[in-house]
Amino acid sequence: MINTSLAQGRLPSSQKHPIVTPLLKKPGLDTADMGNYRPMSNLSFMSKVVERAVTSQLNEYLVANDLLPHFQSTYRKWHSTETAMLHVWSDFLMAADRRHVTLLSLLDMSAAFDCVDHSILLHRLRYAVGLSDAVYKWIESFLSGRTQQMHTMVNCRDAVRSVWRSTRLRTRSGVVQSVHSGTSSHCCQTHGLLLHQYADDLQVYISTTVDDSALAVDRLSMCLADVEAWLKAIVFV
């Protein structure tokens, strides 16, 4: 079934409809505050198996062709949160040895990546990553025609429960972060800033002498403005 799907460049519609269940981020949070919930997307078993096979092959292709961002400590072997921390901390200590101060900005890109327009992602996959033929068609099929439906248990009259499901909604945004995060690193390098990434977390920093710290603040601000402009250009409105 997996080989047939990949050879035809098509994922059946039945495998593209997740049931989304709201779950509390941690026990004890206020259940009346919607900000305390995270959406848990439940797909069919076969859909997850096919997706896992594609993810493995796509990641091997990205690694073999050096298409992953160099300073990305996830989606690859021998990299972790520990290697990300050590890399950034090492840069800070070496700057301190030179009597430089370091300005650091921490960005959480998760919400932005969830809103990336699929047409922009497909354009990048074709022209920047080099996917074509059945591979490109499969990912195009994977992203198109997706729907989702909210599912939750409703408590009524002291523990009497009923199941509530929303109407089906089309999904037109969302992104493979390992593919799309490279452009944000280019924004930082253009301004001569250092960076490191772990999944959707981006650390942007610059080391400078105390006398030049005001200029460094301006460079960091301009870089963040460019990252913001890039995010506005790729997100679905």
Side-chain angles (χ1 to χ4, degrees):
M1 292 176 65
I2 295 175
N3 289 336
T4 299
S5 175
L6 299 180
Q8 293 180 354
R10 182 178 67 88
L11 184 68
S13 299
S14 61
Q15 307 304 311
K16 296 188 287 186
H17 177 68
I19 301 297
V20 181
T21 304
L23 297 178
L24 272 177
K25 294 179 180 179
K26 61 178 68 174
L29 294 177
D30 182 6
T31 58
D33 185 354
M34 294 298 100
N36 291 333
Y37 290 86
R38 64 162 53 93
M40 180 64 68
S41 181
N42 297 295
L43 282 160
S44 69
F45 171 77
M46 184 52 63
S47 176
K48 299 300 292 184
V49 171
V50 178
E51 184 178 334
R52 181 68 64 87
V54 171
T55 299
S56 176
Q57 294 185 35
L58 179 58
N59 192 65
E60 289 178 5
Y61 169 80
L62 295 173
V63 172
N65 292 277
D66 196 27
L67 294 172
L68 287 173
H70 291 172
F71 298 109
Q72 172 65 273
S73 284
T74 189
Y75 313 116
R76 61 206 329 170
K77 288 184 178 180
W78 320 123
H79 291 71
S80 64
T81 53
E82 183 178 6
T83 58
M85 181 194 69
L86 290 175
H87 178 95
V88 175
W89 186 242
S90 176
D91 285 346
F92 289 180
L93 292 179
M94 288 191 293
D97 287 342
R98 300 192 302 270
R99 297 183 180 276
H100 285 189
V101 295
T102 300
L103 306 177
L104 170 68
S105 179
L106 303 175
L107 306 179
D108 182 354
M109 316 282 274
S110 58
F113 283 125
D114 290 341
C115 299
V116 171
D117 191 316
H118 287 162
S119 62
I120 298 176
L121 172 61
L122 289 170
H123 184 275
R124 178 166 175 77
L125 289 172
R126 179 183 286 276
Y127 296 104
V129 180
L131 301 186
S132 60
D133 302 328
V135 177
Y136 179 83
K137 286 176 57 181
W138 190 93
I139 295 181
E140 186 178 37
S141 174
F142 175 82
L143 293 173
S144 64
R146 301 190 73 88
T147 59
Q148 64 181 11
Q149 192 172 19
M150 182 71 73
H151 171 279
T152 188
M153 300 293 293
V154 180
N155 292 329
C156 302
R157 296 184 181 178
D158 301 327
V160 177
R161 293 185 174 184
S162 62
V163 176
W164 175 83
R165 285 193 180 185
S166 69
T167 57
R168 290 196 177 202
L169 300 174
R170 285 187 59 197
T171 304
R172 295 180 290 177
S173 61
V175 68
V176 183
Q177 293 174 1
S178 61
V179 173
H180 222 65
S181 59
T183 312
S184 59
S185 63
H186 178 72
C187 293
C188 301
Q189 292 168 347
T190 299
H191 290 275
L193 272 64
L194 298 175
L195 78 154
H196 205 90
Q197 296 170 273
Y198 189 85
D200 50 24
D201 293 320
L202 177 63
Q203 299 86 46
V204 184
Y205 51 99
I206 180 173
S207 298
T208 183
T209 62
V210 175
D211 292 339
D212 293 333
S213 58
L215 180 61
V217 170
D218 291 339
R219 288 174 61 187
L220 180 60
S221 298
M222 288 188 292
C223 175
L224 296 179
D226 281 354
V227 171
E228 181 183 14
W230 169 72
L231 290 173
K232 290 179 177 178
I234 67 171
V235 299
F236 180 85
V237 179

